[in-house]
Amino acid sequence: TDRAFVTADYISRVDFFNLPMRKQNPQYNLLFMPTPAGWPDGPQKNAYTQFLENGIMVTTTSKKIKEIMHYMDFFYSEEGKTLVSWGKAGETYKDDNGKKQFTGGYTDVSDMRKKTGLSTDGTYTWFDYDAHLSLSSPELQDAYEQAPKYDSEQQPRPAMTQE
């Protein structure tokens, strides 16, 4: 409707909304908004930053646990991090004096994901966010810089056992 818009969503949605909306209205500008305080001088904290609740698992009934863990270990190497973040040198990115740049002419991260399969669920564990930021608008880059200021300190989750 080209009026006000507020959402609690993934930070990458800044470009998700800005890019298509600017085709209709070049002045459209969804920006990161710091978390409001609940009372004067109250804490300003992003939701759900106290703990992480995700991961990749291997079934205990697999006959290839050793091979799978070898594969998973690769994701924690520098080579694995670069591969899952940027793809292959000379194919999906180039290295220009130590600064990587995508070469596929991708319009945004979503476009890059669709065309390469990179950065889709379950395809990475350790990731170089500079890959995403290289395709992001100045507004989204600013949001990525601001948002951590409002994250809570991460806390260990209690084990859900009888003890």
Side-chain angles (χ1 to χ4, degrees), residues 82 86 93-101 128 130:
T82 298
W86 294 94
Y93 78 95
K94 66 179 179 178
D95 194 317
D96 189 15
N97 292 326
K99 183 171 170 117
K100 294 178 182 70
Q101 296 176 318
D128 179 2
D130 286 346

Side-chain angles (χ1 to χ4, degrees), residues 33-39 41-46 147 149-152:
M33 183 179 91
T35 305
W39 56 88
D41 299 319
Q44 294 177 269
K45 297 295 179 188
N46 291 327
K149 297 173 190 174
Y150 303 96
D151 287 350
S152 299

